[in-house]
Every structure is written in C-alpha cells, then in structure tokens.
Amino acid sequence: MEKKFDQETPLVDIQHLKQYFNININAFQRRPLKAVDDVSFSIRRGETLGLVGESGCGKTTVGRTILHLYKPTAGEIIFDGQPMKTAADIKQLRKKATMVFQDPYSSLNPRMTVSDIIGEPLDIHKAYQNRAERQERILELMNRVGLNSEHAARYAHEFSGGQRQRIGIARALALNPEFVVCDEPVSALDVSIQAQVINMFLELQQELGLTYLFIAHDILVVRHISNRIAVMYLGKMVELADSKEIYERPLHPYTRSLMSAVPQPDPKIARSSKRIVLSGDIPSPLNAPSGCPFRTRCAYAKECCAESVPEFQEVEPGHFVACHRIKEL
C-alpha cells in the first residue's frame, strides 16, 4: 500500500545539529564525545524517515535531542515552522511530539497500573476536565492499540513484551501527537510479534496522520515502514534517499556494505550476491578519525579523505551523500 504524505511541508527540520557529551579522560582532563556531529535533514508531514546505522552511531541521540530530552550543543530544531528555543516552545513541542522507547521492560514504571502509565501525559499537561473524561480517553487509547479494558488495573510485569510495547505506544498517543520518534521499538520483541507491532504503526499513521522518525538497525524493517532512509556513521549522516532507491542503488561505500549484509530469500540471488565485509572496528567517537569518519574502514579511501570532512550534498534529485570520491564510485 502506497503511503501518502505532504511532499512540500517539512514538519521537522533539523539544521546542523550537534550533541557533544563531555567525558572525563582522567582527573584533570575532559574531552567531548561527538555523539551527533553536524547532522541536517527534514521530515515531511505524514512521512516516515528511517534512520539506520551500527550501534553507537548516534541514532538514538538524534531522536532524543530533537525532543529536547538532551539539550542540543548546537544547531537548530524547527518544528512546524517554529524554531524550538525557549522553555515555552519546548513545552508545546512535547504536546505535539513524543517517543516510543526501545525497551518495553524498563520504559514502564513497575509501580504504576496500566491506566496510570497511559494517563500520565494527560495528568502532566492537564488534558481532561474530570476523572470520567480521563478514564474514557485511557480506555479509548487501550482499544486503539489492541488492549482490553480489563487490563487497565493490572501492572506492567503481568504482560508480555509485545503487550508492554503496546502500552508504551498508547502512552505516546495520549496527547494526540503529530510526530513520534520510534527508537528501535521492535528490536526487543520476538520476530513473530515484530510484524504485528510494525503493522500497527502503519495503521496508526494512516488513521491519525502521524509523522515518524523510525530508528532501527534492521534494514528490512526500516525499508518496510519508511518512505526515505537516512544512514548514519560515527555521529554523521552519510547517505539519505528514497527507501527503494537506497535499497537497490546505494552510493556510499558504508551503505553498500550494510545492504550487502541483508539476507536474500532467493537462493540463486543469495549465491550470486557478494558480501562486502568491512575491515577493522568502528572507531571510538572520542578518537574519531580526521576528515571522513569512515575512511579507516573504506576500501576507496585516499589522502583527500583524511584532509577534510566530505560535504553532505545532493548528488541526484532527492539523493544525498557525504563522500569525496562519489563521482568516481
């Protein structure tokens, strides 16, 4: 089913976002860990942007910084045309933007009932007139994500992983948000449950007109749900394109390696396809290489790659790549 979205209007516009954490090296020295380093992208209204990359590349930090769970070190976050700068801006943002967390076990308070977990955003923002209205809204949300009303008085530990994630999704939808950051929402679930949750995200998007930033490391999951896919490496964006385009014709050497690792269901295609194995380990963000962050593992790296950071540029309509040697490749 083709997902429709507003091609023109970006709901979320991120410009030169940086998120550095000061790390103690020893008793006298601190060094910035560049978790997100000069990242720019936009998400159109009603669209799903998939964000992929290895563990530690900064995907989750991007999502949390957009929602101001971390205060950005630098850069601009523009939501619905409005820069998010003051405390009042951020308070309004948190009514319209929310997050579904990765771990359905640790993201729910074990001392609260399901009713209180889902109703917590309503309590914080005083989004009801009386207790009856609050309870009606909670039951409506539970029904929307496939939970029964008798579950309301139970506690999170009484549910399976898939049911817990549904509770987390109901909580995220409590204030009728426009934008949802999905931080690896199915990675902790059984494969059989993953498909149910992914399909529920798609249904909710159709029904409620939601816009998603979908963070994951499983490229097949991201391809299924996303309109466009962005690839991160060591805190930087290396490629961004339409999901079909990036899957069938990746341009950046790192993206090519990721796509070569995707399992092929057809044995003939699997035998003919060549796996691109990267040499070495991913560098520490505390000691990132000079120039292109990927150059220490890239088979095409030359001297120019060590001298300067490649510009994240549009090499084809809608296809952005950060690589010095993109014209040769």
Side-chain angles (χ1 to χ4, degrees):
M1 181 171 59
E2 186 68 27
K3 299 188 284 291
K4 294 180 180 178
F5 55 90
D6 186 335
Q7 294 277 1
E8 301 299 324
T9 314
L11 179 66
V12 180
D13 191 12
I14 307 303
Q15 297 179 2
H16 306 291
L17 186 68
K18 295 183 181 181
Q19 183 62 64
Y20 297 173
F21 300 103
N22 286 321
I23 304 297
N24 292 324
I25 304 300
N26 52 48
F28 307 102
Q29 189 181 9
R30 303 181 86 188
R31 188 184 295 170
L33 186 153
K34 298 180 179 181
V36 178
D37 193 15
D38 198 13
V39 165
S40 299
F41 62 91
S42 62
I43 309 175
R44 298 185 283 260
R45 193 179 295 275
E47 177 188 34
T48 299
L49 177 70
L51 188 57
V52 299
E54 290 173 275
S55 296
C57 72
K59 307 185 299 292
T60 293
T61 306
V62 167
R64 292 184 175 219
T65 306
I66 290 172
L67 298 183
H68 278 265
L69 300 182
Y70 301 141
K71 185 180 179 181
T73 304
E76 199 164 31
I77 298 164
I78 301 167
F79 185 85
D80 203 9
Q82 175 73 29
M84 297 293 109
K85 292 182 177 177
T86 67
D89 292 335
I90 294 164
K91 186 175 181 181
Q92 286 302 311
L93 173 69
R94 288 179 178 161
K95 290 182 181 180
K96 298 177 182 178
T98 186
M99 191 166 192
V100 176
F101 295 92
Q102 177 178 0
D103 187 355
Y105 297 90
S106 63
S107 62
L108 303 179
N109 190 328
R111 294 182 179 86
M112 293 170 70
T113 64
V114 170
S115 178
D116 287 337
I117 288 169
I118 296 172
E120 190 174 22
L122 302 173
D123 298 336
I124 291 169
H125 293 279
K126 300 179 174 58
Y128 53 85
Q129 298 294 323
N130 50 57
R131 302 296 292 182
E133 186 182 327
R134 176 184 185 272
Q135 190 63 18
E136 183 183 344
R137 176 62 177 155
I138 290 167
L139 294 177
E140 178 194 334
L141 289 162
M142 291 179 68
N143 180 62
R144 189 175 283 279
V145 299
L147 295 169
N148 298 325
S149 57
E150 55 263 30
H151 291 154
R154 291 164 63 180
Y155 291 86
H157 69 84
E158 300 177 58
F159 295 89
S160 67
Q163 288 174 314
R164 290 185 203 196
Q165 197 58 290
R166 288 171 187 268
I167 296 167
I169 293 166
R171 176 179 61 186
L173 297 175
L175 295 170
N176 289 317
E178 296 176 44
F179 176 58
V180 183
V181 175
C182 306
D183 182 17
E184 305 210 29
V186 298
S187 63
L189 306 178
D190 292 342
V191 175
S192 58
I193 305 299
Q194 286 184 7
Q196 295 176 19
V197 175
I198 289 292
N199 288 333
M200 185 171 68
F201 275 117
L202 290 169
E203 288 166 12
L204 290 169
Q205 185 174 44
Q206 292 288 329
E207 292 170 15
L208 305 175
L210 296 171
T211 303
Y212 292 143
L213 174 64
F214 197 92
I215 300 165
H217 57 257
D218 188 331
I219 293 171
L220 288 175
V221 168
V222 172
R223 187 194 180 201
H224 178 66
I225 197 171
S226 303
N227 302 101
R228 292 184 300 149
I229 296 175
V231 181
M232 281 189 73
Y233 183 84
L234 212 62
K236 288 189 175 291
M237 198 82 83
V238 296
E239 189 161 2
L240 170 63
D242 178 84
S243 58
K244 185 180 180 186
E245 170 84 3
I246 211 167
Y247 189 84
E248 295 179 354
R249 208 170 65 85
L251 298 180
H252 195 280
Y254 177 60
T255 313
R256 289 179 181 177
S257 173
L258 288 182
M259 295 303 170
S260 76
V262 175
Q264 292 288 349
D266 188 326
K268 290 182 180 178
I269 297 174
R271 280 193 294 269
S272 64
S273 60
K274 188 180 178 183
R275 174 84 163 87
I276 302 171
V277 180
L278 297 177
S279 60
D281 296 322
I282 187 168
S284 165
L286 279 172
N287 297 295
S290 63
C292 175
F294 184 61
R295 68 176 177 81
T296 56
R297 303 174 75 192
C298 181
Y300 306 99
K302 288 196 171 181
E303 285 182 19
C304 62
C305 301
E307 291 167 1
S308 62
V309 177
E311 182 187 352
F312 190 62
Q313 58 186 328
E314 190 170 14
V315 295
E316 293 174 5
H319 200 145
F320 296 80
V321 182
C323 180
H324 285 304
R325 303 194 61 204
I326 188 64
K327 291 180 181 176
E328 302 162 53
L329 299 178

